[in-house]
Amino acid sequence: MSKAFASQADLDDKKITFEQLSPHCWAYTAEGDPNSGVIIGEKYIMVSDATATPDMAQDLIRQIRTVSDKPIKYVLLTHYHAVRVLGASAYAAEGATEIIASRGTHELIVERGAQDMQSEMERFPRLFRGADGVPGLTWPTLVIGDGQPGRQGSLTVDLGGVTVEIWHPGPGHTRGDTIAWVEAEKVLFSGDLVEYEAGVYTGDAQLEEWPATLEALRALKAEAIVPGRGEAMKGRADVDKALDYTKRWVTTLFQAGKEAAAANMDLKAAMAHTRKSMDPVFGHVFIYEHCLPFDVSRAYDEAKGIKNPRIWTAERDQEMWAALQG
């Protein structure tokens, strides 16, 4: 029997947690659903990852308003995926004047944002409640860096009493991944570069470079992290746990992809081969079965020398799913 496509059968809402991590930093997490981060200054507020629709953003805004009435002036797009960015328009009414993204993220929106929007809405309808309220693609008003990794292309934002540094640390989940770092409080907002106890989606990833980017994040010595999915991690040891979890997923997956490519397996055989190493370690986590076929497809492609990920369309999604999960 074929599995329901992606997460179309996942209809149960998750428990939301809005948790303070430091004097100015908060985590909005949802039992493996996409997370957002919030940094609250004396003058302004920044949201990291906007949610999937303006309707979905309203709950995050309500949570913020229980602790601050300051303008939500800045919205950071940690990457281009629709589930993270299409809610951005909701923050205009809350004072947002800047939507921040890296050069790489802007390029990806231009290159494949429209296809990604359709693809993601069909994969995970529960996360796109109120999709008819999305005004279109989310475009950054402030593009930072030149596409090269490192803090030399960083943006520093003063929210009043707290400073946030934003930059592209290196490719991983996408080639445009962007982080927010509150150095004074040692809190890192990683987007989907880091996950914990949830599926790591790698359908648009740069798998070869991702582990080095994780080590660049480890070098920050964060004391708390808001990952893209999974609970917020507190204390250096738990931050390392999340980094290690993500690194193990990426390296295990890519090694299996390289072995499958070297053996000239077809994609279905590559899927079966990858399951041997992935299922025993990660098979229990949230959205594992959703992520795995997309991940195997990308790992196989990258191992075959396809450096720029092929664009996922709704049609390609369905064809791949029928082949691998049918």
Side-chain angles (χ1 to χ4, degrees):
M1 182 182 294
S2 64
K3 298 179 175 71
F5 173 64
S7 290
Q8 287 186 354
D10 182 353
L11 304 176
D12 296 330
D13 286 335
K14 306 302 179 186
K15 178 186 175 184
I16 300 294
T17 300
F18 188 57
E19 176 183 14
Q20 189 168 11
L21 303 178
S22 72
H24 296 93
C25 299
W26 299 73
Y28 178 87
T29 62
E31 294 186 307
D33 272 357
N35 297 333
S36 293
V38 180
I39 308 164
I40 301 176
E42 294 164 11
K43 293 182 178 179
Y44 307 116
I45 297 170
M46 178 182 291
V47 168
S48 173
D49 286 324
T51 79
T53 67
D55 186 45
M56 299 290 283
Q58 292 306 317
D59 184 68
L60 175 53
I61 292 167
R62 280 192 293 272
Q63 299 281 358
I64 292 170
R65 292 305 179 215
T66 66
V67 294
S68 178
D69 61 359
K70 298 296 186 292
I72 305 173
K73 184 176 181 179
Y74 301 97
V75 176
L76 170 63
L77 313 181
T78 64
H79 58 289
Y80 81 99
H81 284 150
V83 75
R84 304 294 184 172
V85 307
L86 294 184
S89 62
Y91 301 92
E94 304 299 321
T97 59
E98 298 289 357
I99 297 174
I100 304 166
S102 70
R103 176 70 53 192
T105 291
H106 179 260
E107 291 171 353
L108 285 163
I109 296 169
V110 172
E111 179 183 285
R112 59 184 70 198
Q115 296 95 323
D116 179 73
M117 179 167 70
Q118 182 187 7
S119 169
E120 289 199 53
M121 285 180 175
E122 294 193 14
R123 291 182 194 182
F124 216 149
R126 178 172 59 78
L127 292 182
F128 287 90
R129 188 180 67 232
D132 56 350
V134 174
L137 295 178
T138 296
W139 294 99
T141 61
L142 183 56
V143 177
I144 63 169
D146 59 3
Q148 299 304 307
R151 294 174 85 164
Q152 72 276 4
S154 68
L155 169 71
T156 300
V157 178
D158 182 0
L159 301 178
V162 60
T163 299
V164 187
E165 190 180 3
I166 299 165
W167 77 94
H168 165 56
H173 179 67
T174 72
R175 70 169 187 263
D177 294 309
T178 313
I179 62 168
W181 171 234
V182 180
E183 187 159 23
E185 298 173 18
K186 296 289 185 185
V187 181
L188 174 62
F189 300 83
S190 70
D192 281 336
L193 270 174
V194 183
E195 318 281 26
Y196 186 65
E197 286 296 311
V200 180
Y201 176 76
T202 75
D204 305 292
Q206 303 293 333
L207 293 165
E208 185 175 13
E209 292 90 351
W210 196 338
T213 302
L214 292 171
E215 292 309 312
L217 298 185
R218 196 189 305 271
L220 296 172
K221 299 182 179 178
E223 294 289 345
I225 187 170
V226 181
R229 292 179 183 268
E231 65 183 290
M233 305 298 277
K234 293 158 286 199
R236 182 83 56 79
D238 278 355
V239 171
D240 279 344
K241 247 195 247 184
L243 292 164
D244 291 342
Y245 172 90
T246 309
K247 188 175 182 179
R248 187 177 185 186
W249 181 296
V250 169
T251 55
T252 304
L253 171 73
F254 193 35
Q255 180 60 35
K258 288 187 286 188
E259 291 166 357
N264 277 322
M265 297 180 189
D266 64 18
L267 194 58
K268 191 170 183 67
M271 177 79 160
H273 178 71
T274 302
R275 280 192 177 280
K276 294 175 186 175
S277 52
M278 294 288 287
D279 285 11
V281 182
F282 300 108
H284 64 286
V285 303
F286 181 65
I287 70 163
Y288 175 76
E289 290 294 343
H290 173 148
C291 290
L292 191 65
F294 296 97
D295 289 7
V296 170
S297 298
R298 175 57 194 149
Y300 187 79
D301 275 1
E302 188 168 335
K304 287 283 194 180
I306 300 174
K307 196 62 185 168
N308 190 37
R310 290 189 289 144
I311 295 173
W312 289 102
T313 64
E315 294 75 21
R316 183 185 170 208
D317 285 1
Q318 293 284 354
E319 288 170 6
M320 179 278 299
W321 193 268
L324 298 189
Q325 292 282 51

